[in-house]
Amino acid sequence: MLLLGQIGLWGGSLAALGAVVLFLMGRKGDSLALSARRGGYYATFLAFLLFTLSVVVIIVGFFTKNFTMQYVAMNHPTGNSSLMWLFNLSGLWAGKEGSLLLWAWIITIFTGFMALKGAPKNDDLNGMALMVLNLIVVVFGAVMLLSSKGANNPFMATPPDYLVNGVLRGPALAWRMSPPLQHWAMILHPPALFIGYAGLSVPLAYAFGALLVGDGSDRWVRECDRTTIFAWLFLTIGIGLGAIWAYTVLGWGGFWGWDPVENASILSWFVGVALIHSFTIYRRKGNFKIWTMMLTAITFVMVIMGTWITRADIVQSVHAFGEVDLVARWVFAVLMLVAFFAMLIAVIYRRQMLHNASDFESLTSKEAGYYFNNLFMVLASVIVAGMTTAPAWLKTTYATTSFETIAHYMGIIYIAIMAVCPLLKWGKTGGKALWDHIKLPLLITIVPFGLLMWNWIANLRPVYTYMVAQAEFAPNFTVYGPRWLYDATAVLGFFLASFLIVNTLFVFIDGARARSKATGDGFGKSLASLFTKARTQSGGMIVHIAVAVIVIGLVGSVMYVRQVNKTVPESDNMNFTIADYSFTLKDKKQTPAANGDVTYTATFDLKKGSQDLGTVTPSVTNVAATGQQTSNAIIKSSMLNDLFISLAPQRDAATGQIASLEMDVRINPLIRFVWIGVGLMMVGTVLADWPKKKPVAVAAPAPVASGGKSGKSGSGSGNKKNRK
C-alpha cells in the first residue's frame, strides 16, 4: 500500500512536470508544437489519475485500519459513532500530510476540468494556463516528497517499535484523530476550504497565460470567471462550516476568535470578492485590466499565505500543526514571492496591451463604486494579514479587540459602499438622479430599522450597562472607546444594513418594472425572469442582502453578548440567573471510561421567567491520551437569542490535576441572522454561477424558387424571428 501511494505521488508529480514541459514546447505554433500541446493535455489527465491513486490508498488505509501507514495510525478515528465511516473518510484531511495531498489532488481536479474544456480548442491561452496550473501541482508534490524525514509525505511507514502484528503499542496507543475533529462539520469544512483554495489558482493561471501569449482581451476572464465564482462559493461554505464547528464544539461560545488559522481563510475570501467584481468591469467595460491581473496574483498569494501560517510555525495557534516544517516554510514563501513578482514583471512587460478602454468620468459612477469595493477588500486582507503575522516580524501580538475595532469601522464604510453602488450609473450619476433613486428606499428603511432599534433599546443596550458593571468583563467593552461611540457604531450598523436590504429589494422591483414595460409581461413574471435570465446580477444582489443580514447578526452576537462564569461547587446547592433565565443545580458527576477518559457532567433545571424549560446537561470530556477537552455545549435557540451553556475543567496550577468545573453561560443575541445570512450568500452565489443556456443554432430554411409564395413566407417568418 505504501509503495502504491508513493508511486501515485511521484508519478503524478512527474506527469505534471511533463505537462509543464510539453505545454512550453507548444508555444512555437507549428504542427510539432500542436502535438506537444496535445501531449500536455494527456499528461495533465495522467497527473490527476495518479494523484487520485494516492488519495484512494490513504482512504483504503483508514477503512482497513492499516496501521503500517504512519499517517493512518496517527490520525485514525476512535469511538462508535454512527458517522464513523465518514470520520474514516475525513482522516484524509485530519493531519498536515493528508490535507496537503488533498489540496494537491483538488488542484489536479481543477486542472483536469480546465483541460477537458480547453482540449477541443488546443489553443495557446489554455496551453499556457494549464502549464501554470501543472507547475503549481509540481510545487505541492515537491513539498510532500522532498521534506526532510518525510515530514509532509503521507506514505511513511510506522516505526516497527510502535507496531506488533498490526496492533499499535507503547506511546502509539495514544495516536488517534483529535476528538474535536470527530464532528459532522469537520467532515465538510476542510474539503470545502481546499476546493476554494485550489480553485483560486485558476484565475492566476489564466491571467498569466494571457500575458505569456500577448492577449489583452477578455478571453482569459471568460475562460475562468465561473470557475472563480465556484471556488469562492466553496471558500464561503468552508468558512461558514468552520464557524458552526467553532460555535458548537470548542465550547467558548463564539464562532470567530481572530485566531491566526481562522484568519488564514478569510484573507483569500476578501480578495476573492474584489477579484470577482473586477472581472465584471474587465468583461463589460474593458477597464481594470492591470488591476485585475494583479488581483489574481494577490488572491493566490493570500491563499498560500494561509497554509504558510498554518504549516510553517510562523505564529502560535491552537489550530496550527505545531511542528516546524522548514521545507514548507521556504517553498511556500518563495511561491508567494514568485507568483506576485512574476505577475508584476509580466504586467509591466505587456502594459501596452493592457490600456483601459475608458477612464473614470466621475467618483459618482458605478465604476468608482467597484473601485472602492476593490480597494477596501484588498486593504482589509492586507491589514488582517499584517496583524496576523506580526508576531513573526514585529514581535507583537494583537488582541481580538484590535481586530474587531478595525472590523467595526471598515465594515461600516464597506456596507455603505455596497448600499450606494447599485444606485449609481455607468459613467456618471447626477445628484438629482441619485436622490430620486434613494429617497423612497430611505423612507421604507424606517420600518426594518425601527424594529431593530426597538430590540436594541429593549434588549441589547442594557447588556452594555450590565457587562461594564462586572469588573471581569468591563474591559471587553470599554476598550472600544466611550459608550456613545459604541452605541453609534451599533446604530449605524443596523441602519446601513436595513438600507442595504431595502435598497437591494428596490433594485429587483425597478428591474421587474422595466422588464414588464419592455416585454408587456406582468410584474410577477418579469420579476421571476430576473432570476432565470439575469442570474449573475440577481445572484449578486442576493449576496448583498446576505451581507446585510450577517451584519445585523454580527452587531448583536459580537457587541452585546451577556455572559456569566460560575464555578460549579462540590455541593449540589447552586442557583443563579442570567437575564430572565434561572439555573438550579440538580446533579454533578464524573464518568470514567476504560481508556482513561473522564466525562464531567452537570445537570441543571432551567427556567425562563416562570416557564419551565426542563433540564440541561452540559458536559466536557478530558481525553487522557492527549490531555485535550471535548466540549458538549448546550445551545437553546430562539429567533432573537441563543442561550449557550458549556463546562470547562480548571486545573490546579501546582499539581496539574483538575480541581474544579467552570461553567460559561452566554446569551448570544441575533446570532441566527449570521447563519441565515451565510445560507443566503450560498444561494446567491450558486444562482450567479449557474451556467447559462447556450443558444441553439437554428438551421436556415431550405432555398426555394425565387419569387415563390413559400419563399416570401419563409423569408418573412425568418426575419420576424430574428427581430425577436
Side-chain angles (χ1 to χ4, degrees):
M1 290 287 284
L2 288 170
L3 178 60
L4 199 58
Q6 293 278 22
I7 289 172
L9 193 52
W10 275 101
S13 301
L14 292 174
L17 182 60
V20 170
V21 174
L22 289 167
F23 282 125
L24 285 173
M25 291 172 59
R27 291 260 352 246
K28 297 179 180 178
D30 54 21
S31 58
L32 182 60
L34 290 175
S35 297
R37 205 150 60 204
R38 193 172 295 111
Y41 283 99
Y42 289 126
T44 297
F45 297 138
L46 180 60
F48 159 68
L49 291 174
L50 288 168
F51 269 94
T52 301
L53 173 63
S54 292
V55 168
V56 169
V57 167
I58 290 286
I59 292 173
V60 170
F62 275 106
F63 275 94
T64 59
K65 301 296 183 193
N66 188 341
F67 294 147
T68 60
M69 302 169 66
Q70 182 170 305
Y71 180 76
V72 173
M74 297 188 74
N75 295 281
H76 68 282
T78 57
N80 54 6
S81 169
S82 60
L83 297 178
M84 189 56 63
W85 70 277
L86 287 172
F87 295 148
N88 278 315
L89 183 64
S90 67
L92 172 63
W93 49 85
K96 66 184 180 69
E97 303 95 331
S99 59
L100 195 62
L101 174 61
L102 174 70
W103 190 349
W105 177 57
I106 295 173
I107 296 175
T108 69
I109 294 174
F110 274 101
T111 308
F113 172 73
M114 301 308 291
L116 200 62
K117 284 177 54 182
K121 306 171 189 176
N122 196 15
D123 61 347
D124 53 354
L125 173 61
N126 278 285
M128 287 298 94
L130 291 169
M131 181 274 294
V132 175
L133 285 170
N134 276 289
L135 189 58
I136 295 170
V137 173
V138 171
V139 172
F140 274 75
V143 170
M144 286 184 280
L145 292 168
L146 303 181
S147 291
S148 61
K149 300 180 181 179
N152 289 311
N153 192 331
F155 300 106
M156 303 301 292
T158 302
D161 291 345
Y162 295 125
L163 192 68
V164 175
N165 297 325
V167 178
L168 296 175
R169 55 175 288 181
L173 289 172
W175 292 353
R176 66 184 70 182
M177 181 185 290
S178 178
L181 299 183
Q182 293 186 204
H183 183 267
W184 68 266
M186 292 306 286
I187 297 169
L188 303 171
H189 162 65
L193 282 183
F194 287 127
I195 291 172
Y197 292 159
L200 289 176
S201 305
V202 174
L204 169 80
Y206 273 86
F208 202 74
L211 292 171
L212 287 175
V213 303
D215 184 355
S217 72
D218 67 350
R219 184 164 64 116
W220 72 272
V221 175
R222 288 185 281 107
E223 289 284 354
C224 69
D225 59 347
R226 291 193 177 276
T227 303
T228 304
I229 295 173
F230 178 83
W232 187 84
L233 166 65
F234 271 86
L235 194 55
T236 304
I237 293 171
I239 292 171
L241 288 169
I244 292 172
W245 174 77
Y247 187 55
T248 58
V249 172
L250 295 185
W252 54 278
F255 51 85
W256 193 272
W258 298 100
D259 178 86
V261 174
E262 290 179 343
N263 294 348
S265 61
I266 205 72
L267 299 178
S268 49
W269 189 91
F270 281 148
V271 188
V273 172
L275 180 60
I276 291 169
H277 284 79
S278 292
F279 276 174
T280 301
I281 297 293
Y282 198 120
R283 192 176 56 246
R284 294 188 61 175
K285 294 294 180 179
N287 291 337
F288 286 11
K289 288 188 175 182
I290 291 177
W291 175 244
T292 306
M293 293 277 188
M294 290 306 303
L295 266 181
T296 64
I298 295 171
T299 303
F300 181 76
V301 167
M302 291 302 175
V303 166
I304 301 302
M305 183 173 288
T307 197
W308 187 64
I309 289 171
T310 307
R311 297 170 184 275
D313 196 35
I314 299 300
V315 295
Q316 296 299 311
S317 167
V318 295
H319 303 301
F321 290 110
E323 305 93 340
V324 177
D325 185 348
L326 294 178
V327 171
R329 174 184 293 183
W330 290 109
V331 170
F332 285 130
V334 170
L335 182 59
M336 287 188 286
L337 292 172
V338 168
F340 182 82
F341 285 105
M343 181 64 73
L344 180 62
I345 292 168
V347 162
I348 293 172
Y349 179 74
R350 295 290 194 185
R351 64 188 181 279
Q352 295 301 323
M353 73 175 197
L354 296 175
H355 289 302
N356 290 331
S358 61
D359 295 322
F360 286 175
E361 294 182 27
S362 170
L363 289 177
T364 59
S365 65
K366 195 176 287 290
E367 291 94 333
Y370 276 89
Y371 170 77
F372 286 118
N373 169 82
N374 286 354
L375 180 65
F376 266 84
M377 285 293 96
V378 173
L379 186 61
S381 185
V382 170
I383 289 173
V384 173
M387 292 175 67
T388 301
T389 57
W393 55 283
L394 282 181
K395 308 303 179 186
T396 299
T397 300
Y398 289 96
T400 297
T401 51
S402 299
F403 285 97
E404 290 185 351
T405 300
I406 293 173
H408 286 172
Y409 304 124
M410 289 195 70
I412 284 174
I413 296 172
Y414 183 68
I415 198 172
I417 293 172
M418 289 184 67
V420 173
C421 189
L423 301 172
L424 303 176
K425 297 179 180 179
W426 297 109
K428 185 177 182 180
T429 308
K432 185 178 183 303
L434 182 59
W435 175 246
D436 288 342
H437 277 89
I438 207 173
K439 59 185 179 183
L440 186 55
L442 270 176
L443 182 63
I444 303 299
T445 296
I446 294 173
V447 176
F449 178 60
L451 291 173
L452 290 171
M453 287 305 297
W454 171 82
N455 182 60
W456 180 73
I457 293 169
N459 300 316
L460 300 185
R461 196 167 186 267
V463 172
Y464 184 98
T465 304
Y466 174 81
M467 295 300 288
V468 168
Q470 316 296 315
E472 180 183 1
F473 300 114
N476 297 337
F477 291 79
T478 56
V479 70
Y480 297 107
R483 177 162 189 170
W484 69 264
L485 182 61
Y486 201 87
D487 288 348
T489 303
V491 171
L492 192 54
F494 280 143
F495 172 76
L496 290 172
S498 302
F499 178 63
L500 177 55
I501 293 172
V502 172
N503 184 49
T504 307
L505 293 176
F506 266 85
V507 171
F508 282 115
I509 293 170
D510 290 344
R513 284 175 175 169
R515 188 171 188 86
S516 178
K517 184 178 180 180
T519 62
D521 293 332
F523 177 81
K525 184 176 180 181
S526 297
L527 181 61
S529 68
L530 293 179
F531 295 93
T532 58
K533 297 183 179 179
R535 289 193 289 268
T536 301
Q537 294 81 2
S538 297
M541 290 298 100
I542 291 174
V543 171
H544 283 200
I545 293 174
V547 171
V549 173
I550 291 172
V551 166
I552 292 171
L554 291 178
V555 171
S557 62
V558 173
M559 296 181 68
Y560 292 100
V561 177
R562 189 186 293 261
Q563 183 177 2
V564 169
N565 287 347
K566 294 286 185 180
T567 299
V568 181
E570 290 300 324
S571 66
D572 291 343
N573 185 19
M574 180 183 184
N575 296 277
F576 69 93
T577 62
I578 176 171
D580 52 351
Y581 292 96
S582 60
F583 291 78
T584 302
L585 182 62
K586 185 177 179 181
D587 184 38
K588 186 182 79 168
K589 63 181 179 180
Q590 299 180 20
T591 308
N595 60 4
D597 296 353
V598 180
T599 299
Y600 301 85
T601 305
T603 302
F604 291 86
D605 288 326
L606 176 64
K607 289 185 177 182
K608 184 177 184 181
S610 60
Q611 181 185 4
D612 189 354
L613 299 181
T615 60
V616 290
T617 54
S619 65
V620 60
T621 299
N622 185 62
V623 181
T626 63
Q628 292 177 304
Q629 281 82 44
T630 303
S631 176
N632 178 28
I634 302 298
I635 302 172
K636 294 280 189 178
S637 296
S638 64
M639 189 60 202
L640 294 180
N641 293 308
D642 269 10
L643 176 65
F644 183 94
I645 312 159
S646 67
L647 291 179
Q650 302 298 308
R651 297 182 182 274
D652 184 275
T655 66
Q657 300 298 312
I658 294 175
S660 63
L661 284 179
E662 188 79 9
M663 188 176 182
D664 185 357
V665 182
R666 306 180 187 217
I667 298 177
N668 296 319
L670 305 181
I671 193 169
R672 183 168 289 190
F673 283 77
V674 175
W675 312 131
I676 293 172
V678 171
L680 267 179
M681 189 172 288
M682 294 175 190
V683 170
T685 309
V686 168
L687 181 64
D689 201 37
W690 200 266
K692 294 180 180 179
K693 290 183 179 180
K694 294 182 179 180
V696 180
V698 180
V704 296
S706 177
K709 185 176 181 181
S710 298
K712 289 180 181 178
S713 174
S715 176
S717 174
N719 288 336
K720 186 176 181 181
K721 185 178 291 186
N722 289 336
R723 285 196 298 271
K724 285 184 179 179

